[in-house]
């Protein structure tokens, strides 16, 4: 414990004990820790206990003994497929949403647009990035479903039947398109401050040294933004990877995503193998943890420059 | 060198189109329950359905309880960490980040596994199975919601505490003879108004439409009701989706309005 905090909290400690000395200070310390105890108890009971029970469950067989079989079982084709599909959906929406969100964030921050455009887009991004789950799925069904608004417009105005052309809202590309609705606004929200951090002087210095716009982006702006850009895309990846409600409401559980599989496992109507379910959940937490850790690390790399 | 930012406008327009089309489409669709006329009947049907009223009220109750309990849990802890235990703050930062790595479906899986049978310590049952009664399942649901919203709530409160001088305020109050309840309820909480409001509204907009926890804990909440409605109706779900979008909008609009000036980053998540 650092010295300054001890001396600064002295008035408080003198209240709990009038005698200075070793023992009261220890008691004061204990009392201080008691203040944060309820929160830690809560976090233990409802965050760590449930997650660790899944972790332990993924190394247990039905009799409760230790086994690696559940982890090995993850390599079953159906399970592997679900991981692959989840990763594919998340990667495509992260990259697509990332690129589009970056361009939009660029347009509103340094694109030379009036200020009201920026505030409108940021507000809308805040709302849209929270607009996930069941309502989002239904909005898309109303628009791009078989009898949806855009489907209808395309058919009556241009005589294009998107469903005959191979599009299906309840499939991979439909889900991807729907996820984009909360993905790219999130990118805008996170990238806009990073783009704000690019200093005007850097660009001016480049121009004075005779650099082209391309060279400025290639050698100055991009290297600085890259960690943040990648980091946010990883965040988007995790964001899509853990999503369940949107996919469930949209496809009714027909797409073989990891979250859908785990949902079926909890209902107990598919796998009949609890250990495998735990292992799948454990696998998801591992992937999510890696993405969050990578995001945090990459954000820190950028923070050195953008203050 | 001033040029017309054509490139920027192009992306803005594309973005705006993508933002607005689904909403406009849903609006248009929700008005067409009667052939060839625009009517608000879908809204009337949806809002007067007793099942809607019941589930919506239930979700609102859960949201309010979640907000109250998480404020009671987080504010004293964060305050105490600022005042007396600065070394705990990194730990709190970490714990409140963990829910980001644990999607709702995993959380509910773990909760059911841990609390559908008696919780034992060294063979002694200390917590009875919580999923056995409606009341205790509601407790489990609220606890789950608190965990889901923990990152948002904690960050709001932490930002709020950072913005004021916790130690000076506390010492001044103590010198004037205030006890801990007075300090917490009459000094710290009023100063946290803005932060709490923004955390609370975000929590509210997350909880009211939440599907996963409520479905698997089998509670009659608004999210599962909406999902079920989507299976056998077309126009009413579109109407309710728009209403729920507007609710999110209102909640975030209020947050933006009350937190003007304070630069606060806001994070959102897919569900």
């Amino acid at each position: 414990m650092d010295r300054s905090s001890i001396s600064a909290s002295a008035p408080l400690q003198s209240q709990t004990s009038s005698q200075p000395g070793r023992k009261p200070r220890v008691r004061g310390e204990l009392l201080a820790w008691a203040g944060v105890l309820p929160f830690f108890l809560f976090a233990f009971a409802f965050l760590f206990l449930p997650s660790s029970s899944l972790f332990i469950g993924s190394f247990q067989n039905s009799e409760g003994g230790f086994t690696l079989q559940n982890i090995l079982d993850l390599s079953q084709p159906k399970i592997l497929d679900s991981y692959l599909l989840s990763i594919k959906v998340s990667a495509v929406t992260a990259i697509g949403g990332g690129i589009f969100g970056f361009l939009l964030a660029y347009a509103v921050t340094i694109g030379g647009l009036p200020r009201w455009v920026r505030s409108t887009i940021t507000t809308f991004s805040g709302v849209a990035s929270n607009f996930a789950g069941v309502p989002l799925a239904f909005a898309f069904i109303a628009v791009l479903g078989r009898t949806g608004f855009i489907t209808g417009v395309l058919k009556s105005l241009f005589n294009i039947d998107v469903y005959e052309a191979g599009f299906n809202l309840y499939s991979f590309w439909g889900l991807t398109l729907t996820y984009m609705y909360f993905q790219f606004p999130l990118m805008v929200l996170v990238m806009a401050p990073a783009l704000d951090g690019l200093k005007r002087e850097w660009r001016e210095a480049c121009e004075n040294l005779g650099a082209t716009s391309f060279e400025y982006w290639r050698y100055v702006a991009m290297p600085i933004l890259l960690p943040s850009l990648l980091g946010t895309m990883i965040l988007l990846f995790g964001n899509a990877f853990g999503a369940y409600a949107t996919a469930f409401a949209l496809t009714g559980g027909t797409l073989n995503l990891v979250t859908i599989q785990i949902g079926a496992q909890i209902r107990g109507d598919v796998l009949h193998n609890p250990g495998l379910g735990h292992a799948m959940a454990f696998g998801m937490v591992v992937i999510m943890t890696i993405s969050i850790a990578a995001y945090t690390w990459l954000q820190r790399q950028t923070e050195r420059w953008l203050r | 060198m001033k040029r017309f930012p054509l490139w920027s406008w192009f992306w803005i327009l594309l973005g705006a189109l993508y933002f607005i089309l689904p909403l406009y489409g849903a609006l248009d669709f929700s008005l067409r329950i009667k052939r060839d006329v625009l009517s608000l009947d879908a809204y009337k049907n949806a809002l007067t359905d007793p099942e809607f009223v019941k589930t919506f009220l239930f979700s609102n109750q859960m949201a309010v309880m979640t907000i109250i309990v998480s404020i009671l849990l987080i504010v004293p802890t964060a305050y105490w960490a600022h005042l007396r235990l600065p070394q705990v703050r990194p730990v709190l930062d970490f714990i409140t980040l963990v829910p980001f790595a644990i999607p709702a479906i995993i959380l509910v899986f773990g909760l059911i596994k841990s609390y559908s049978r008696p919780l034992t310590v060294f063979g002694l049952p200390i917590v009875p199975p919580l999923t056995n009664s409606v009341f205790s399942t509601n407790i489990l649901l609220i606890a789950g919601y608190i965990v889901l919203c923990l990152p948002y709530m904690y960050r709001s409160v932490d930002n709020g505490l950072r913005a004021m001088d916790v130690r000076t305020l506390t010492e001044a109050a103590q010198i004037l003879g205030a006890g801990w309840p007075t300090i917490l309820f009459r000094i710290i909480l009023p100063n946290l108004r803005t932060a709490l409001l923004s955390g609370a509204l975000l929590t509210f907009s997350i909880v009211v439409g939440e599907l996963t926890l409520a479905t698997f804990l089998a509670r009659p909440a608004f999210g599962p009701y909406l999902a079920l409605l989507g299976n056998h109706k077309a126009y009413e779900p579109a109407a309710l989706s728009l209403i729920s979008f507007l609710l999110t909008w209102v909640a975030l609009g209020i947050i933006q309005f009350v937190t003007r000036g304070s630069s606060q980053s806001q994070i959102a998540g897919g569900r």
Side-chain angles (χ1 to χ4, degrees):
Chain A
M1 188 172 172
D2 65 323
R3 204 163 268 280
S4 63
S5 61
I6 294 180
S7 59
S9 58
L12 298 167
Q13 275 184 344
S14 63
Q15 220 190 29
T16 47
S17 73
S18 51
Q19 287 174 320
R22 196 164 249 281
K23 241 184 180 169
R25 186 185 294 170
V26 173
R27 211 171 61 203
E29 279 287 283
L30 278 178
L31 267 174
W33 282 98
V36 291
L37 194 64
F39 179 82
F40 280 96
L41 279 179
F42 177 86
F44 177 78
F46 296 109
L47 191 57
F48 291 106
L49 193 69
S51 8
S52 55
S53 80
L54 292 181
F55 174 73
I56 294 165
S58 58
F59 293 100
Q60 275 177 335
N61 58 25
S62 50
E63 281 84 45
F66 174 81
T67 178
L68 284 174
Q69 193 56 44
N70 299 322
I71 308 289
L72 295 175
D73 280 349
L74 287 180
S75 61
Q76 284 173 21
K78 181 153 191 189
I79 310 291
L80 269 188
D81 283 350
S82 73
Y83 271 99
L84 281 179
L85 185 65
S86 276
I87 288 173
K88 221 166 90 182
V89 169
S90 313
V92 170
T93 59
I95 294 169
I99 292 173
F100 186 45
F102 176 78
L103 290 168
L104 201 59
Y106 173 85
V108 294
T109 45
I110 40 184
L113 295 177
R115 271 208 75 78
W116 62 266
V117 176
R118 173 173 186 166
S119 54
T120 315
I121 294 282
T122 330
T123 313
F124 219 118
S125 296
V127 181
S129 59
N130 274 290
F131 189 53
V134 192
L136 176 68
F138 287 149
F140 268 82
I141 291 174
V143 176
L144 279 168
R146 266 174 215 284
T147 55
F149 171 72
I150 295 179
T151 320
V153 168
L154 287 176
K155 204 185 268 174
S156 57
L157 287 186
F158 306 103
N159 204 20
I160 304 172
D161 189 334
V162 284
Y163 276 80
E164 249 161 47
F167 176 81
N168 186 352
L169 182 64
Y170 316 103
S171 69
F172 174 79
W173 286 108
L175 189 69
T176 311
L177 201 64
T178 312
Y179 275 17
M180 288 286 215
Y181 201 85
F182 58 74
Q183 292 282 62
F184 87 89
L186 184 56
M187 186 77 181
V188 174
L189 286 183
V190 185
M191 280 314 290
L195 281 161
D196 274 335
L198 286 182
K199 293 201 175 57
R200 182 183 275 276
E201 293 86 343
W202 297 341
R203 174 141 215 167
E204 285 165 0
C206 286
E207 277 166 8
N208 287 340
L209 292 168
T212 62
S213 190
F214 174 77
E215 281 165 332
Y216 163 72
W217 276 100
R218 167 73 185 75
Y219 295 106
V220 181
M222 258 309 149
I224 291 171
L225 285 178
L226 202 61
S228 177
L229 201 66
L230 287 178
T232 314
M233 281 189 183
I234 292 173
L235 184 70
L236 297 190
F237 177 88
N239 201 24
F241 193 73
Y244 169 77
T246 316
F248 181 78
L250 193 67
T251 68
T254 50
L255 272 184
N256 184 21
L257 295 169
V258 187
T259 44
I260 300 274
Q261 283 282 335
I262 291 178
Q265 159 72 20
I266 304 177
R267 283 210 173 89
D269 55 358
V270 175
L271 291 165
H272 301 297
N273 183 353
L276 183 57
H278 299 149
M280 286 180 74
F282 172 55
M284 271 198 82
V285 172
V286 169
I287 293 179
M288 292 295 279
T289 309
I290 294 172
S291 359
I292 302 283
Y295 167 70
T296 326
W297 185 75
L298 284 165
Q299 280 308 78
R300 270 199 203 125
Q301 299 299 304
T302 331
E303 266 169 28
R304 284 188 303 182
W305 293 100
L306 307 173
R307 255 188 252 267
Chain B
M1 189 179 73
K2 194 92 180 158
R3 59 207 156 130
F4 184 70
L6 186 72
W7 192 232
S8 306
W9 278 115
F10 172 74
W11 291 114
I12 294 287
L13 278 181
L14 205 62
L17 214 63
Y18 189 74
F19 268 141
I20 292 165
L21 267 180
L23 294 177
Y24 176 74
L27 175 69
D28 181 83
F29 189 73
S30 70
L31 297 175
R32 290 185 189 279
I33 190 165
K34 283 188 193 150
R35 191 173 277 276
D36 298 328
V37 273
L38 297 180
S39 77
L40 286 170
D41 283 10
Y43 292 84
K44 211 177 85 195
N45 293 348
L47 295 178
T48 51
D49 181 356
E51 204 53 25
F52 161 77
V53 179
K54 212 180 91 195
T55 56
F56 192 67
L57 281 181
F58 177 80
S59 281
N60 276 288
Q61 284 168 8
M62 291 297 114
V64 170
M65 285 308 293
T66 305
I67 290 165
I68 293 174
V69 179
S70 55
I71 286 177
L72 288 178
L73 198 63
I74 292 169
V75 173
T77 310
Y79 165 71
W80 199 239
H82 269 263
L83 187 70
R84 290 289 297 274
L85 292 167
Q87 70 272 39
V88 177
R89 281 174 59 194
V91 184
L92 288 177
D93 279 340
F94 172 75
I95 292 178
T96 53
L97 198 69
V98 171
F100 275 141
I102 301 182
I105 186 99
I106 304 292
L107 180 67
V108 75
F109 194 6
L111 287 175
I112 291 174
K113 181 170 157 61
S114 304
Y115 293 104
S116 60
R117 68 194 85 168
L119 187 66
T120 55
V121 174
F122 303 120
L124 288 168
I126 49 164
V127 181
L130 290 179
T131 47
N132 276 3
S133 80
V134 166
F135 178 73
S136 56
T137 311
N138 283 348
I139 292 182
L140 206 55
L141 184 66
I142 291 169
Y145 285 156
I146 295 174
V147 171
L148 280 191
C149 302
L150 197 57
Y152 312 100
M153 205 60 171
Y154 177 77
R155 260 153 203 76
S156 305
V157 171
D158 192 54
N159 284 342
L161 286 170
R162 245 179 254 246
M164 64 170 137
D165 191 343
V166 172
R167 185 160 284 155
T168 312
L169 281 177
T170 307
E171 282 169 8
Q174 282 189 323
I175 289 166
L176 293 170
W180 287 116
T182 317
I183 294 177
L184 262 180
F185 286 101
R186 299 194 50 194
I187 293 166
I188 301 301
L189 278 179
N191 271 302
L192 279 176
R193 259 192 322 249
T194 319
L196 288 181
L197 189 65
S198 83
L201 287 168
L202 212 52
T203 304
F204 182 81
S205 77
I206 291 171
V207 170
V208 166
E210 208 279 335
L211 171 85
T212 317
L213 289 183
T215 304
F216 290 108
L217 290 173
R219 300 306 301 134
F222 179 58
Y225 163 73
L226 191 55
L228 197 68
L229 192 68
N231 287 342
H232 52 90
K233 293 233 167 91
Y235 300 96
E236 286 82 355
L240 286 179
S241 298
L242 271 178
I243 292 175
S244 104
F245 185 84
L246 283 179
L247 272 182
T248 317
W249 185 283
V250 169
L252 292 172
I254 298 174
I255 296 179
Q256 279 225 327
F257 183 74
V258 293
T259 56
R260 265 171 320 170
S262 66
S263 68
Q264 191 195 20
S265 65
Q266 186 197 35
I267 322 171
R271 266 158 256 156

